[in-house]
Amino acid sequence: MDNEKRSIRKASLPDDGEAIMAVFAEAKAIMRSSGNASQWADNYPSLLTVQADIERNGSFVIEDDGLIVGYFAFLPSPEPTYDHIYDGAWLDDEQPYRVIHRIASTPRAHGIFRSIMDYCFAHEHNIRIDTHRNNRIMQHNIRKYGFLYCGIIHLANGDERLAYQRLEGVSTTIERYLAKPYWVIDILPKQVPADSQGQYLAVQDYFLRQPQFGLICQQFSRLLIKLSCYYDMAACTADSSDWTPRPQPESIESLLTSGKTVYFVIPSADAMIAFNGDDHYLTLYNPDAPLLQLISSLSAPEALYVWSPTDVLP
């Protein structure tokens, strides 16, 4: 369908009720045919659900040539079921956000998800969304649009959902992690004591010159590229205004050799990795035990060490 013939408007009851319920029925059929047998069971969503969305000023329909082909809710925070997130963390839990729920469309309408997201991000920079673990189609679309997986939330009835967030803007997230406990990923196995009899400054100067420093950046690049196999990450530089979700291997290498301060946030582990651009170490903020163990394992083949600033050589 030509996007010039597509429009999004507020839903209205009772006028749109029959068409919206027909869209829900077709969306359920798509779910069932793709192996998602448990989401949207029984009579959910109902016209009472739509009415509740309308009362929160967040009920929308998508029209192609004047015919309703899709529905979604775009609701203001707070969302009570998002108050607690498990096995991860939101990218930011301080700023107001909006939530997208109940995306549904007919199988004949193409590009509905992108149309919805483009509309929503034209009105809000901080958006959260969740979906059923069996809804593979929605998971693919969510990640493709740049959302990052953040963890597990539970609905009011106790059912779990996979939770995602996309936040355009970086400073608040970075500042939150900089205040957390940290570890160091270094070419040295432990912190060098201030009263060491060795020649730390001369050694540091040696490794920060080329070609040694270029080789260290390659070690860091390989480590983070391997880490991206296991975790969703987003990257930015200190002068960026937005996160880049899931940077490709070449982008990770380019960022680490740019000479800029670079940040990699890992929402599902509630952690961040920082590189100042001219240091011989990475800083790992707020790692949980599984992430710390994995990074330690990935660091060893690169001749890198992971240590806490409280660890000092005797």
Side-chain angles (χ1 to χ4, degrees), residues 195-212:
D195 59 355
S196 170
Q197 300 301 307
Q199 48 178 351
Y200 172 72
L201 293 179
V203 171
Q204 176 181 250
D205 180 66
Y206 169 80
F207 279 111
L208 293 181
R209 295 197 305 265
Q210 297 295 350
Q212 288 79 18

Side-chain angles (χ1 to χ4, degrees), residues 132-143:
H132 195 283
R133 186 177 294 276
N134 292 335
N135 196 336
R136 304 295 186 185
I137 296 174
M138 186 59 67
Q139 291 173 43
H140 170 77
N141 286 331
I142 289 171
R143 290 166 60 93

Side-chain angles (χ1 to χ4, degrees), residues 225 228 244-254:
I225 289 168
S228 71
T244 299
R246 287 178 291 281
Q248 295 300 299
E250 295 82 4
S251 297
I252 293 174
E253 183 178 31
S254 178

Side-chain angles (χ1 to χ4, degrees), residues 111 113-114 117 136-149 164 166 232 245-246:
F113 186 88
R114 177 161 290 278
M117 294 300 136
R136 304 295 186 185
I137 296 174
M138 186 59 67
Q139 291 173 43
H140 170 77
N141 286 331
I142 289 171
R143 290 166 60 93
K144 185 177 179 181
Y145 200 85
F147 284 84
L148 288 179
Y149 173 71
Y164 301 80
R166 177 172 163 180
D232 255 357
R246 287 178 291 281

